[in-house]
Amino acid sequence: MATTHGPARTSRFHLPHPHHEATAAALPGTPGVATRAVLAAARIVVGWTFLWAFVDKVFGLGYATPSGKGWIDGGSPTAGFLGHGADGPFKGLYNNLAGTAFADSAFMLGLLGIGIAMTLGIGMRIAGASGALLYVLMWSVVLPPENNPITDEHILGALIVAALALLGAGRYFGLGTWWTSTTLVKKYPWLT
């Protein structure tokens, strides 16, 4: 006599039994454990990349931002790249924006917000859309790209953050499931 098993039960901290993995993977829209782990890892790595850029630019830790040139030291997080690195059809626009309070504040707020959202798995729609936009804007600073006449790692990054948002990667080893159940998100679903 054959027995059938329902879908694997999982909680935020419990992985399904391997016996149930095939059943869980067969359900439409239910990725397997390996897929969830890869999506979670990609989301956290992307989030940390944004957070690290924010911290380095604030404090001038000597990585991308030289020591003593951090935002808290009076340095500008956009002056160098937009003022001296811009090339191509938008060079004049980016040169004019370089080092302005608007550009510095918008860039830093974007890095922080996208980094927190991606790392924790909350607000993934906004993080995915704003992350993709930020990557495309950074791509457009230097056109054509140095190593390819059309695309570079910024376009890849834009596609990855969009995919993470569209695939609901915040639900996997993150706070996305809790976030979507909050009263705030239920009232304003665009915050998912």
Side-chain angles (χ1 to χ4, degrees):
M1 179 159 105
T3 59
T4 58
H5 299 282
R9 292 184 188 174
T10 60
S11 70
R12 190 169 36 178
F13 303 105
H14 180 265
L15 297 177
H17 188 276
H19 176 74
H20 297 291
E21 181 60 27
T23 304
L27 295 174
T30 305
V33 173
T35 302
R36 293 192 304 264
V38 169
L39 287 171
R43 187 197 81 240
I44 292 166
V45 168
V46 167
W48 174 244
T49 302
F50 280 94
L51 281 177
W52 178 254
F54 173 81
V55 170
D56 183 51
K57 289 179 183 324
V58 167
F59 298 105
L61 299 177
Y63 290 87
T65 306
S67 182
K69 302 282 186 178
W71 206 19
I72 64 167
D73 300 315
S76 167
T78 64
F81 185 48
L82 297 182
H84 306 293
D87 195 17
F90 305 113
K91 180 179 180 177
L93 170 67
Y94 286 124
N95 286 167
N96 289 334
L97 285 172
T100 64
F102 168 76
D104 288 349
S105 300
F107 181 61
M108 294 301 281
L109 182 61
L111 291 177
L112 180 62
I114 297 162
I116 289 172
M118 284 280 169
T119 301
L120 297 178
I122 61 174
M124 292 293 293
R125 281 186 187 178
I126 296 170
S130 56
L133 176 63
L134 184 57
Y135 272 128
V136 169
L137 288 172
M138 291 190 313
W139 166 80
S140 72
V141 173
V142 181
L143 291 177
E146 182 179 350
N147 297 316
N148 184 304
I150 299 169
T151 190
D152 68 4
E153 67 277 2
H154 294 103
I155 298 301
L156 180 61
L159 293 170
I160 289 170
V161 294
L164 289 170
L166 291 170
L167 292 169
R171 296 176 293 170
Y172 311 123
F173 305 99
L175 301 176
T177 302
W178 164 80
W179 177 252
T180 57
S181 70
T182 63
T183 306
L184 177 68
V185 175
K186 284 181 180 179
K187 185 173 181 178
Y188 303 105
W190 57 270
L191 292 173
T192 58

